[in-house]
Amino acid sequence: MAVKFIKISVVYFVIGVCIGMYMSMTEKFAFTPVHVHINLLGWMSMALAGLIYVGFPAAAETTLAKVHFWLHNISLPIMMIGLAFLVSGVENAGPAVAAGGTLMVLGIILFAINILKNVKN
């Protein structure tokens, strides 16, 4: 799972940087929340999870790690697409942000449980 987390984090990094470049070039910054969340929850959080799993392979081999990976990668696009619509003025996009955010929190809680349970000296 470590390699999967690291590789997908780089994809989110490219997406986040491209959104930032678009905003800079157009001088329109409405998508700042999307840019920030993709970089934080996509790039940084997933890269760190991958590096943690490199250091603690027993945790990486669990079902919890797999479920965390998939929840993270299903929820983040849902939440970010919803947020992009929301900041663009589509008021009924709120449920997508809420659903994606709820799944994201669940995935992060599972990651925390996995680390607390399976990372040992």
Side-chain angles (χ1 to χ4, degrees):
M1 291 310 299
V3 172
K4 288 182 182 184
F5 272 96
I6 292 168
K7 284 185 175 184
I8 196 71
S9 77
V10 172
V11 172
Y12 287 119
F13 188 34
V14 170
I15 293 168
V17 167
C18 287
I19 292 170
M21 186 173 84
Y22 163 79
M23 290 188 307
S24 178
M25 291 171 63
T26 62
E27 296 184 9
K28 296 177 182 173
F29 300 99
F31 292 118
T32 298
V34 178
H35 165 74
V36 169
H37 280 85
I38 287 176
N39 281 322
L40 179 61
L41 291 171
W43 162 233
M44 291 304 302
S45 296
M46 294 196 79
L48 286 171
L51 291 173
I52 289 168
Y53 286 143
V54 166
F56 301 95
E61 296 168 5
T62 65
T63 300
L64 285 171
K66 290 177 182 73
V67 174
H68 167 222
F69 178 85
W70 287 109
L71 276 176
H72 208 113
N73 284 290
I74 291 168
S75 65
L76 186 57
I78 291 169
M79 186 170 62
M80 292 304 93
I81 291 167
L83 186 57
F85 279 114
L86 196 62
V87 299
S88 296
V90 179
E91 293 179 17
N92 60 357
V97 178
T102 300
L103 290 175
M104 176 65 69
V105 169
L106 179 59
I108 291 170
I109 289 169
L110 293 178
F111 172 66
I113 291 168
N114 188 19
I115 296 307
L116 294 171
K117 182 178 175 184
N118 295 300
V119 171
K120 297 176 177 26
N121 290 344

